[in-house]
Coordinates of all heavy atoms in Angstrom, one line a residue:
T162 N -7.0 -7.0 -9.3 CA -8.3 -6.5 -9.4 C -8.6 -6.2 -10.9 O -7.7 -6.2 -11.7 CB -8.6 -5.2 -8.6 OG1 -10.0 -5.0 -8.5 CG2 -8.0 -4.0 -9.2
V163 N -9.9 -6.1 -11.2 CA -10.2 -5.6 -12.6 C -11.0 -4.3 -12.4 O -11.7 -4.1 -11.5 CB -11.0 -6.7 -13.4 CG1 -10.1 -7.8 -13.9 CG2 -12.2 -7.2 -12.7
F164 N -10.8 -3.5 -13.4 CA -11.4 -2.2 -13.4 C -12.1 -2.0 -14.8 O -11.4 -2.1 -15.8 CB -10.5 -1.0 -13.1 CG -11.0 0.3 -13.4 CD1 -12.0 0.9 -12.6 CD2 -10.6 1.1 -14.5 CE1 -12.5 2.1 -12.8 CE2 -11.2 2.3 -14.8 CZ -12.1 2.8 -13.9
K165 N -13.4 -1.6 -14.8 CA -14.0 -1.4 -16.1 C -14.3 0.1 -16.2 O -14.9 0.8 -15.4 CB -15.4 -2.1 -16.1 CG -16.2 -1.9 -17.4 CD -17.5 -2.7 -17.3 CE -18.4 -2.3 -18.4 NZ -19.7 -3.1 -18.3
D166 N -13.8 0.7 -17.3 CA -13.9 2.1 -17.5 C -15.2 2.5 -18.2 O -15.9 1.6 -18.6 CB -12.7 2.6 -18.4 CG -12.3 4.0 -18.2 OD1 -13.0 4.8 -17.6 OD2 -11.2 4.4 -18.6
D167 N -15.5 3.8 -18.2 CA -16.8 4.3 -18.7 C -17.0 3.9 -20.2 O -18.1 3.8 -20.7 CB -16.9 5.8 -18.7 CG -16.5 6.3 -17.3 OD1 -16.9 5.7 -16.3 OD2 -15.9 7.4 -17.2
D168 N -15.9 3.8 -20.9 CA -16.0 3.5 -22.3 C -16.1 2.0 -22.6 O -16.0 1.5 -23.8 CB -14.8 4.1 -23.1 CG -13.5 3.5 -22.6 OD1 -13.5 2.7 -21.7 OD2 -12.4 4.0 -23.1
G169 N -16.2 1.2 -21.6 CA -16.3 -0.3 -21.7 C -15.0 -1.0 -21.8 O -15.0 -2.2 -21.7
E170 N -13.9 -0.3 -21.9 CA -12.6 -1.0 -21.8 C -12.3 -1.4 -20.4 O -12.7 -0.7 -19.4 CB -11.4 0.0 -22.2 CG -11.5 0.5 -23.6 CD -11.2 -0.5 -24.7 OE1 -10.4 -1.4 -24.4 OE2 -11.9 -0.4 -25.7
A171 N -11.7 -2.6 -20.2 CA -11.5 -3.1 -18.9 C -10.0 -3.4 -18.7 O -9.3 -3.7 -19.7 CB -12.4 -4.2 -18.5
Y172 N -9.5 -3.4 -17.5 CA -8.1 -3.6 -17.2 C -7.9 -4.5 -16.1 O -8.7 -4.5 -15.1 CB -7.4 -2.3 -16.9 CG -7.7 -1.3 -18.1 CD1 -8.8 -0.5 -18.1 CD2 -6.8 -1.1 -19.1 CE1 -9.1 0.4 -19.1 CE2 -7.0 -0.2 -20.1 CZ -8.2 0.5 -20.1 OH -8.4 1.4 -21.2
L173 N -6.8 -5.3 -16.1 CA -6.3 -6.1 -15.0 C -5.2 -5.4 -14.3 O -4.2 -5.0 -15.0 CB -5.9 -7.5 -15.5 CG -5.2 -8.4 -14.5 CD1 -6.2 -8.9 -13.4 CD2 -4.6 -9.6 -15.2
F174 N -5.2 -5.3 -13.0 CA -4.1 -4.7 -12.2 C -3.6 -5.9 -11.4 O -4.4 -6.5 -10.7 CB -4.6 -3.6 -11.3 CG -5.0 -2.3 -11.9 CD1 -6.0 -2.3 -12.8 CD2 -4.3 -1.2 -11.7 CE1 -6.4 -1.1 -13.4 CE2 -4.6 0.0 -12.3 CZ -5.6 0.1 -13.2
Y175 N -2.3 -6.2 -11.4 CA -1.8 -7.3 -10.6 C -0.5 -7.1 -10.1 O 0.4 -6.5 -10.7 CB -1.9 -8.6 -11.4 CG -1.0 -8.6 -12.7 CD1 0.2 -9.2 -12.7 CD2 -1.5 -8.1 -13.9 CE1 1.0 -9.3 -13.9 CE2 -0.8 -8.2 -15.1 CZ 0.5 -8.7 -15.0 OH 1.3 -8.8 -16.2
S176 N -0.3 -7.5 -8.8 CA 1.0 -7.4 -8.2 C 1.9 -8.5 -8.8 O 1.6 -9.7 -8.8 CB 0.9 -7.7 -6.7 OG 0.1 -6.7 -6.1
S177 N 3.1 -8.1 -9.3 CA 3.9 -9.0 -10.1 C 5.4 -8.9 -9.6 O 5.7 -8.2 -8.6 CB 3.8 -8.8 -11.6 OG 4.4 -9.8 -12.3
E178 N 6.2 -9.6 -10.3 CA 7.7 -9.6 -10.0 C 7.9 -9.9 -8.5 O 8.5 -9.1 -7.8 CB 8.3 -8.2 -10.4 CG 8.0 -8.0 -11.9 CD 8.5 -6.6 -12.4 OE1 9.4 -6.0 -11.8 OE2 7.8 -6.1 -13.3
M179 N 7.3 -11.0 -8.1 CA 7.3 -11.4 -6.6 C 6.7 -10.3 -5.7 O 7.3 -9.9 -4.7 CB 8.7 -11.8 -6.2 CG 9.3 -13.0 -6.9 SD 8.2 -14.4 -6.8 CE 8.5 -15.0 -5.1
N180 N 5.6 -9.7 -6.2 CA 4.9 -8.6 -5.5 C 5.6 -7.3 -5.4 O 5.2 -6.4 -4.8 CB 4.6 -9.0 -4.0 CG 3.5 -10.0 -3.9 OD1 2.7 -10.1 -4.8 ND2 3.4 -10.7 -2.8
K181 N 6.7 -7.2 -6.2 CA 7.5 -5.9 -6.1 C 6.9 -4.8 -6.9 O 7.0 -3.6 -6.5 CB 9.0 -6.2 -6.5 CG 9.7 -7.0 -5.5 CD 11.1 -6.5 -5.3 CE 11.8 -7.0 -4.1 NZ 11.4 -8.4 -3.7
T182 N 6.3 -5.2 -8.0 CA 5.8 -4.1 -9.0 C 4.4 -4.4 -9.4 O 4.0 -5.6 -9.6 CB 6.8 -4.1 -10.2 OG1 8.1 -3.7 -9.7 CG2 6.4 -3.2 -11.3
M183 N 3.6 -3.4 -9.6 CA 2.2 -3.5 -10.0 C 2.2 -3.5 -11.6 O 2.9 -2.6 -12.2 CB 1.4 -2.4 -9.5 CG -0.1 -2.4 -9.7 SD -0.9 -3.8 -8.7 CE -0.6 -3.2 -7.1
H184 N 1.5 -4.4 -12.2 CA 1.3 -4.4 -13.6 C -0.1 -4.0 -14.0 O -1.0 -4.4 -13.3 CB 1.6 -5.7 -14.2 CG 3.1 -6.1 -14.2 ND1 3.6 -7.2 -14.9 CD2 4.2 -5.5 -13.6 CE1 4.9 -7.3 -14.7 NE2 5.3 -6.3 -13.9
I185 N -0.3 -3.3 -15.1 CA -1.6 -2.9 -15.6 C -1.7 -3.4 -17.1 O -0.8 -3.0 -17.9 CB -1.8 -1.4 -15.5 CG1 -1.6 -0.9 -14.1 CG2 -3.2 -1.0 -16.0 CD1 -1.5 0.6 -14.0
T186 N -2.7 -4.2 -17.4 CA -2.8 -4.7 -18.8 C -4.2 -4.6 -19.2 O -5.1 -4.8 -18.3 CB -2.2 -6.1 -18.8 OG1 -2.1 -6.5 -20.2 CG2 -3.0 -7.1 -18.1
P187 N -4.5 -4.4 -20.5 CA -5.9 -4.3 -20.9 C -6.5 -5.7 -21.0 O -5.9 -6.7 -21.3 CB -5.8 -3.7 -22.3 CG -4.5 -4.1 -22.8 CD -3.6 -4.2 -21.6

Side-chain angles (χ1 to χ4, degrees):
T162 195
V163 286
F164 168 73
K165 181 178 166 183
D166 209 342
D167 310 325
D168 60 2
E170 299 288 327
Y172 304 86
L173 171 70
F174 289 65
Y175 61 98
S176 297
S177 192
E178 304 173 32
M179 296 305 284
N180 284 340
K181 290 221 160 35
T182 295
M183 188 70 65
H184 288 188
I185 306 168
T186 190

